[in-house]
Amino acid sequence: KNQVEQSPQSLIILEGKNCTLQCNYTVSPFSNLRWYKQDTGRGPVSLTIMTFSENTKSNGRYTATLDADTKQSSLHITASQLSDSASYICVVSLPNDYKLSFGAGTTVTVRA
Amino acid sequence: NAGVMQNPRHLVRRRGQEARLRCSPMKGHSHVYWYRQLPEEGLKFMVYLQKENIIDESGMPKERFSAEFPKEGPSILRIQQVVRGDSAAYFCASSPPVGYEQYFGPGTRLTVT
């Protein structure tokens, strides 16, 4: 069973609207939780990094939240743009460990 | 400062041929990681290398797959006698000597016909 589960698998939103992506993890204890953006045909690019003691982290129109008690994280995209169309991947790592546990990603399509 | 570079970006091989994937880490990075991504799945760890050393190859199939990171030149992921199931995107990441923050390359898409 994957240790990082994401939902929904995909979603379509209109340009200018907001959306929220979910991530549930079972990796424990964990060190960092990252959200990556992966454009089609490209490698993942880091959006946010949170330690277990952080509740929220923002990067422009992207805001990530973390609830370490329930082992849930979310990524909120505000005022979506066409360039936000991509796969968004939740990644968890163990303390002092190079191994990353990847979710399967949520594919976001922004339509004009 | 160029990012992580991978080549080729696309590679087509017939069953039974060999595939060689190259990865040049970011300047100053001495650690390299290889991942495989199958369609609709998350990236899966394959191998972690430092210069001239394999640190962890627990995610790599025991047969047909090998990786190296020589003192000079790029890291190479080698797949011998490819089969259709090897078709996937292979990503390389690198990190600096201290810390494990990984930066990903654009990937090589291998298609086995």
Side-chain angles (χ1 to χ4, degrees), chain B residues 7 12 31-32 35 38-39 45-46 50 52 58-59 74 90 93 100 108:
Chain B
N7 67 82
V12 179
H31 301 189
V32 165
Y35 296 86
L38 295 170
F45 169 81
M46 298 181 73
Q50 295 178 15
E52 300 184 279
S58 59
Y90 292 83
Y100 292 119
T108 293

Side-chain angles (χ1 to χ4, degrees), chain B residues 39-86:
Chain B
E40 309 300 326
E41 294 187 17
L43 277 73
K44 296 288 195 297
F45 169 81
M46 298 181 73
V47 61
Y48 165 33
L49 310 104
Q50 295 178 15
K51 283 284 188 182
E52 300 184 279
N53 284 308
I54 297 175
I55 306 302
D56 181 354
E57 56 182 349
S58 59
M60 202 147 70
K62 295 287 186 288
E63 298 178 352
R64 303 187 298 108
F65 284 73
S66 62
E68 62 176 7
F69 189 15
K71 187 176 180 182
E72 301 291 337
S75 174
I76 307 286
L77 178 67
R78 183 182 176 207
I79 310 173
Q80 295 177 289
Q81 299 175 318
V82 295
V83 301
R84 288 230 172 97
D86 296 333

Side-chain angles (χ1 to χ4, degrees), chain A residues 34 38 41 43 49 98-99, chain B residues 9 56 58 91 101-102 105:
Chain A
R34 298 169 169 84
Q38 185 177 18
I49 302 174
Y98 51 86
K99 281 191 179 172
Chain B
R9 295 293 309 277
D56 181 354
S58 59
F91 289 95
E101 190 58 39
Q102 298 178 28

